[in-house]
């Protein structure tokens, strides 16, 4: 028994639907009290991962209050972007440390 056109179409549709959503992880390094790159572009659903190379704790704190990530010395911290638009952030412990995430839908 050969599958009819309807079931082939259903299989194709299923294959398209089961492709995973392309969410990426974008890395920002913290080294000597500097976020690098200072500005990153991402999409809603992507993860921003901060890699702290310093021996000090840092935070990535959105000025909007939407997220606040504490990054322990020589550890990583992450946030999943839930909103589109530009988000400025800073480190609570070192307010001169500033960065920006621009998320497109
Ligand atoms: Cu800091």
């Amino acid at each position: 028994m050969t599958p009819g056109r309807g079931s082939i179409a259903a299989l194709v549709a299923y294959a398209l639907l089961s492709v995973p959503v392309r969410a990426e992880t974008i890395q920002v390094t913290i080294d000597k009290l500097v976020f690098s790159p200072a500005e990153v572009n991402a999409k809603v659903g992507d993860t921003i991962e901060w890699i702290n190379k310093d021996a000090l704790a840092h935070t990535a704190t959105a000025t909007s209050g939407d997220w606040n990530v504490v990054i322990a010395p020589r550890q990583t911290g992450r946030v999943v972007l839930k909103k589109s638009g530009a988000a400025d952030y800073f480190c609570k412990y070192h307010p001169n440390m500033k960065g920006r995430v621009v998320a497109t839908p």
Side-chain angles (χ1 to χ4, degrees):
M1 183 177 155
T2 54
R5 277 179 188 278
S7 58
I8 289 171
L11 278 174
V12 169
Y14 178 76
L16 290 174
L17 284 172
S18 56
V19 170
V21 175
R22 212 177 107 264
E24 291 183 37
T25 297
I26 291 138
Q27 296 183 323
V28 177
T29 299
I30 304 171
D31 194 8
K32 298 181 182 73
L33 290 87
V34 174
F35 293 114
S36 176
E39 180 168 334
V40 292
N41 292 298
K43 289 189 173 165
V44 172
D46 285 353
T47 299
I48 306 294
E49 180 179 67
W50 287 272
I51 302 158
N52 185 2
K53 298 197 165 184
D54 288 341
L56 302 162
H58 295 294
T59 74
T61 304
T63 57
S64 64
D66 283 346
W67 36 267
N68 175 49
V69 183
V70 178
I71 312 133
R74 308 199 193 285
Q75 299 294 316
T76 60
R78 304 165 153 238
V79 72
V80 177
L81 300 175
K82 299 202 165 121
K83 280 188 190 173
S84 62
D88 290 308
Y89 68 91
F90 62 99
C91 171
K92 276 189 188 173
Y93 309 136
H94 313 100
N96 288 336
M97 293 175 62
K98 286 176 185 168
R100 178 174 240 235
V101 175
V102 180
T104 51

